[in-house]
Amino acid sequence: AKRWGRADAVLRGLEERSAAPPARLRQVADAMAVEMHAGLASEGGSKLGMIISYVDSLPSGQEKGLFYALDLGGTNFRVLRVQLGGKEGRVVKQECDEISIPAHLMTGTSQELFDFIAAALAKFVASEGEDFHLLEGRQRELGFTFSFPVKQSSIASGTLIKWTKGFSIDETVGADVVAELSSALDRQGLDMKVTALVNDTIGTLAGGRYDDNDVVAAVILGTGTNAAYVERANAIPKWHGLLPKSGDMVINMEWGNFRSSHLPLTEFDQALDAESLNPGEQIYEKLISGMYLGEIVRRVLLKMTEEASLFGDDIPPKLKIPFILRTPHMSMMHHDTSADLRTVGAKLKDVLGIQGTSLKTRRLVVAVCDIVAKRGARLAAAGIHGVLKKLGRDIPGSDKHRTVIAMDGGLYEHYTIFSETLENTLREMLGEEVSSSVVIKLANDGSGIGAALLAAAHSQYL
Ligand code: ADP
Ligand code: MG
């Protein structure tokens, strides 16, 4: 009985420290909007990169021809080709392939990583069928989706600011990632030109806009998290270039690095951050994204074991291994609706090697998942609310425009309790009238198509 009391105390402490009530969410949303202004005002003016993407127009639907895209940004790496048929034909045909990145390449050398990617791409290009047509005498063109913070210097060049999401290769930092990729393509003997460098958020925004003209922002909730939106170029004080014809500029927020005293941080978040590859950075990402949610849960369970012998007198050795409990495992346990929580029991056994858990223990595990997932989802909703504030779309407008947010990422797509909590929280924050015109649209892998569309829009042959 005493043990349960102690475990319960850990749970209650977690709940208290993780609380994200409406008043606090409003503060988070306000802080996000304030940081957006600051990041647009001057370089380094905010934790938010507010990076100028050099994308000043989004796809119109007129794009035509064969284009490739390559997406590097997390656990998997994707290649895609698409035959675009213009206003009438739209997407005539599309093919893609997904390759997982061997863990050792994420912390090895730049050349090894890019050679691996180029080799996979070369293999994919070799399988191009007769349904795809490259115009006579033309070079194949590629949109490169690279979802790490990049200091963009033109639409097709940019240097890596830092790695995130478990990647760590020092020599790539500061290098032009298009040059790195292009050299690797040369080494493969692949004749292909990178005409657009974007990240997944911008790709998703472009793909989303091609699908739906009312898309104004994109959010990624996958391994990591980020957002992008369309800003008026004359509202960007740090932009000293010519005003683009469209008057618009897409901003890559790099919102994963957001932090604010209003974020509810616990001892578990602090320890996770301190022991991470990038301490002090990506604090918002560490609260809401798929790479970290399961790991937070593991840390809480470990504490419950240490303080309250939750899983018996000995600490199960696997519970001490960082990142062993992945967010998909957490999600499966969280969604377990069986009376005896048998999926929870099975996951504890399979993933953590903990046998014969009682129903009471399983309930406690679910309660931990619930707190961690809902906090993340509520904070993500507050971030979106902040962006809508910046866009002036958080209040009832005179015209009845829709506001569509293109969403992508495995966390949002698969973790139903997370996505439902996010949507409900955003509705709460916006109120009925505004939220009836705000739509979150799942743009399943829209970033691939989006990058290909941007490659087309910036083709060397235009
Ligand atoms: P990436 O962000 O690496 O480009 P995805 O958008 O496919 O890739 O997202 C993958 C991430 O989504 C995983 O790292 C994981 O955190 C999360 N995820 C995938 N499947 C699930 C699931 N069933 N439940 C919860 N989270 C999931
Ligand atoms: Mg992705």
Side-chain angles (χ1 to χ4, degrees), residues 147-185:
S147 306
F148 301 93
V150 162
K151 170 104 178 78
Q152 203 86 35
S153 36
S154 72
I155 181 68
S157 64
T159 55
L160 177 64
I161 296 168
K162 62 176 182 182
W163 288 105
T164 54
K165 296 177 279 189
F167 281 76
S168 178
I169 307 169
D170 285 343
E171 58 185 337
T172 324
V173 176
D176 181 350
V177 293
V178 172
E180 297 282 302
L181 175 63
S182 301
S183 314
L185 295 177

Side-chain angles (χ1 to χ4, degrees), residues 73-76 78 200 221-224 290-291 327-328 331 409-411 414-415:
T75 33
N76 291 315
R78 297 183 189 86
D200 52 354
L221 285 161
T223 305
M291 172 152 177
T327 302
S331 161
L411 177 68
H414 299 298
Y415 202 148

